Amino acid sequence: VAVGGDGTTSVCVLAGELLREAEHLVEQGVHPQIIAHGYRKACKASIKALDSFAVDNSKDEKQFREDLLNIARTTLSSKILQQEKDKFAQLAVDAVLRLNLKENRGAQDLQAIHIIKKRGGSLRDSYL
């Protein structure tokens, strides 16, 4: 079973290929603004396609929480936190859900979540 990461390598490879293709187009005499316009158009089409696949689970508390945990785990799939990603995913989701999303209707202030760093100890000592 292959374990996926956070997508950093994939994004870098994709960006590199887009730049390589842009370079070829410039060498063929295509103006850079035309290339940028094409990339913006492709970006809009990609967002539209992704939106068509999106599922809103915000009304199902259990599924919504699971979705948030999956997003947090993916985001925390770096090599540094790999061993503790479940713990930190749980902490992140608990912190966000404490902001009472329903009452604020999405206007929650993520700045209310603070990270306090202390010397000594380990990642496992972290708590909310």
Side-chain angles (χ1 to χ4, degrees):
V1 176
V3 176
D6 61 2
T8 304
T9 301
S10 299
V11 168
C12 289
V13 169
L14 178 61
E17 288 302 314
L18 289 170
L19 288 171
R20 184 191 329 249
E21 289 304 313
E23 183 179 33
H24 290 300
L25 291 170
V26 168
E27 288 169 356
Q28 294 172 13
V30 179
H31 194 281
Q33 287 183 345
I34 300 297
I35 298 167
H37 177 72
Y39 283 169
R40 280 192 292 275
K41 195 171 181 181
C43 182
K44 287 178 185 174
S46 298
I47 290 170
K48 186 176 179 182
L50 289 171
D51 283 343
S52 73
F53 298 127
V55 177
D56 181 2
N57 288 322
S58 61
K59 292 183 179 30
D60 178 349
E61 260 184 64
K62 185 176 179 183
Q63 186 59 53
F64 184 62
R65 180 178 186 76
E66 190 58 37
D67 289 347
L68 290 176
L69 283 168
N70 287 333
I71 292 166
R73 282 187 202 105
T74 299
T75 303
L76 296 169
S77 290
S78 71
K79 287 149 185 69
I80 296 169
L81 289 176
Q82 185 64 38
Q83 300 300 319
E84 300 294 334
K85 74 177 178 181
D86 287 331
K87 176 184 177 68
F88 280 89
Q90 192 76 42
L91 286 173
V93 170
D94 288 345
V96 168
L97 291 177
R98 282 189 185 181
L99 295 174
N100 201 354
L101 300 175
K102 289 180 182 175
E103 284 184 21
N104 292 330
R105 295 191 190 114
Q108 68 281 2
D109 186 5
L110 293 177
Q111 300 303 318
I113 299 172
H114 297 279
I115 297 173
I116 300 170
K117 299 175 186 177
K118 293 191 175 187
R119 295 187 134 203
S122 71
L123 292 174
R124 292 181 185 175
D125 296 331
S126 300
Y127 64 94
L128 182 63

